[in-house]
Amino acid sequence: MHRYDATKLLLRHLKDEPVVANLGPTTDELWHAGHRDRNFYTYGSMGLCSPLALGMALSQPGKVVSLDGDGALLMNMGAIATIGREKPKNLVVVVWDNEQWGQTGHQPSHTALGTDLEAVARSCNIPKTATVRTLEDLDQVFRQALKEDGPWFIVAKIEETEYLPVSPVEPEATLYRFRRSFVGQEMPGH
Ligand SMILES: Cc1ncc(C[n+]2csc(CCOP(=O)(O)OP(=O)(O)O)c2C)c(N)n1
Ligand SMILES: [Mg+2]
């Protein structure tokens, strides 16, 4: 399964739900897959994708999707414990697990050597977890995650391919556009 195909698949199921993207190729591919006002691209802020999504989930009732990376989550593993502690029903974390710190030179991460992030999430009391390896399985579990209460923690095992061009969005523009998309609007609900 390739991350770009998987990202396009997830977007097909979404309406106005906020999507927060891990730095690097996850952000770039989300932009290419379908730029939308409620995409929150991150740059440089490794480890903060799911914490940002957690804050959004706790502050309003609609579903929030975090597209995180194995390396970033491993660096800030306490985020998984905090999600398990707070248990926001509306948070869906998808981890693009390519078993490497891809952007910085494809160094193998702990998940290449035995660390099981789904097991970590389960041990942190996150009630809905899954590991998927195909687009079909991702499609099924993601549709379920949008319908059923979570929090959800979905590890999607992916294979690396060539990177797409870096997305041409300045961080300040993301913040402005994303915030403005909520002004005077009801939050989405499922
Ligand atoms: C605190 C911090 N340390 C290191 C980096 C450099 N860095 C940027 S992306 C990245 C790898 C992230 O790995 P992962 O989350 O698995 O995403 P992938 O590149 O594999 O898609 C690293 C180490 C950073 N931006 N911030
Ligand atoms: Mg990675």
Side-chain angles (χ1 to χ4, degrees):
M1 170 163 55
H2 293 146
R3 181 178 40 223
Y4 186 46
D5 296 331
T7 304
K8 286 191 281 191
L9 183 151
L10 299 191
L11 281 182
R12 284 202 287 275
H13 293 299
L14 294 174
K15 298 174 196 132
D16 285 339
E17 296 88 346
V19 178
V20 187
N22 190 36
L23 76 171
T26 298
T27 271
D28 299 333
E29 291 175 19
L30 177 62
W31 187 87
H32 288 286
H35 178 59
R36 51 204 274 288
D37 283 350
R38 298 258 165 100
N39 287 353
F40 195 96
Y41 309 112
T42 67
Y43 301 87
S45 51
M46 188 175 171
L48 293 180
C49 177
S50 289
L52 280 165
L54 172 64
M56 292 176 196
L58 291 172
S59 64
Q60 53 79 52
K63 289 274 185 183
V64 176
V65 179
S66 168
L67 302 181
D68 216 327
D70 57 311
L73 256 185
L74 283 160
M75 197 196 71
N76 188 14
M77 218 144 87
I80 304 175
T82 306
I83 292 166
R85 175 184 166 147
E86 297 296 326
K87 288 197 181 48
K89 290 179 178 167
N90 54 340
L91 180 62
V92 182
V93 176
V94 177
V95 186
W96 298 137
D97 185 1
N98 53 7
E99 304 188 347
Q100 58 184 262
W101 288 282
Q103 201 195 18
T104 45
H106 307 285
Q107 301 88 354
S109 80
H110 305 46
T111 61
L113 300 163
T115 301
D116 177 347
L117 287 174
E118 185 195 354
V120 173
R122 271 203 308 271
S123 76
C124 291
N125 253 341
I126 294 182
K128 306 278 181 69
T129 68
T131 296
V132 294
R133 293 168 192 281
T134 64
L135 286 173
E136 291 73 24
D137 288 349
L138 176 65
D139 186 61
Q140 195 185 3
V141 74
F142 190 68
R143 278 194 280 124
Q144 199 184 348
L146 290 179
K147 283 195 205 108
E148 292 177 20
D149 283 350
W152 284 83
F153 191 92
I154 302 164
V155 178
K157 291 285 187 180
I158 57 162
E159 289 156 31
E160 283 290 276
T161 46
E162 291 294 304
Y163 290 153
L164 293 171
V166 172
S167 63
V169 184
E170 294 296 325
E172 292 83 358
T174 288
L175 188 61
Y176 178 74
R177 176 182 39 73
F178 184 84
R179 279 184 175 160
R180 196 184 48 181
S181 77
F182 292 99
V183 174
Q185 285 187 33
E186 292 288 318
M187 281 300 300
H190 272 271

